[in-house]
Amino acid sequence: MNKLYSVILLSIFLSSCAQSPATEVNYYLLDTPNVIAKKLINNNLQESIPIKANNIIIDDVLLPQYLKQSSIVMLIGENRLHYAHYNLWGENLAQGVSKLIQQSIGQINSPEPIHLTIEIDHFYPTEQGRVILSGRYMLRLKKDKKLFKFTLTQGLHKGGYSEAVKQMQLLIKELAKNITRNAKTL
C-alpha cells in the first residue's frame, strides 16, 4: 500500500511540475545581426582572428574572467557581482564587442593598417542605474604604439536588462569614436 501511495504522490508531483510555467530566458547581442567576424572555438579554447575595420585591425578584445561566461553581470553594492540566470549573452562577449567596434569605427586615413587591442576591466550595469565600461586600448602603427585608458558611463533611463544592453551598446559606440579620434593622431 505504501508503494502505491508513493507512486501516486510522485505522479501528482511530476504532473504539477510539468504544468508550471517555465521561466523565459532572454538572449542579447551587442551588435546587429550582421555577421562580420567569428572566433574559432575548439575544445573551449578561443583563437582570435584579426578583424579589419576601416584600416584598423582589431587584434584582440581581452575580458576579465568574470565576463567570460554567458550571464549578463550586474554590480550590486560596492563590490558584489550578480550573474543573471535568465538574461544571457547570445554570443561570446568579446566577439560582440569586436563586431560592434568594427561597425562603429569612423573613417581613418592611414597609409598602413593600425592594430588595436582592447582590454576591458569593467563592463556592467549597476543597481544604482548606471552602466560602466572601463579599461584600456593600445593602438600600434609600425613601431609606434600608444596606450589609452578609458572610463565611460551611461545612465539607465528605464530598468531591466534590455535597457541595460542598449546603454552598453552606446558605450561601445562611444569607445569606437574615442578610438577613431586617437587613431587619427598616429
Side-chain angles (χ1 to χ4, degrees), residues 103-128:
Q103 293 171 12
S104 304
I105 277 197
Q107 182 65 36
I108 299 166
N109 296 321
S110 172
E112 296 196 23
I114 299 169
H115 289 263
L116 169 65
T117 299
I118 302 169
E119 186 174 352
I120 293 175
D121 293 327
H122 304 283
F123 192 37
Y124 43 69
T126 70
E127 73 177 352
Q128 289 82 26

Side-chain angles (χ1 to χ4, degrees), residues 151-165:
T151 299
L152 305 169
T153 61
Q154 185 77 21
L156 290 171
H157 307 292
K158 303 178 205 170
Y161 286 100
S162 183
E163 173 69 14
V165 170

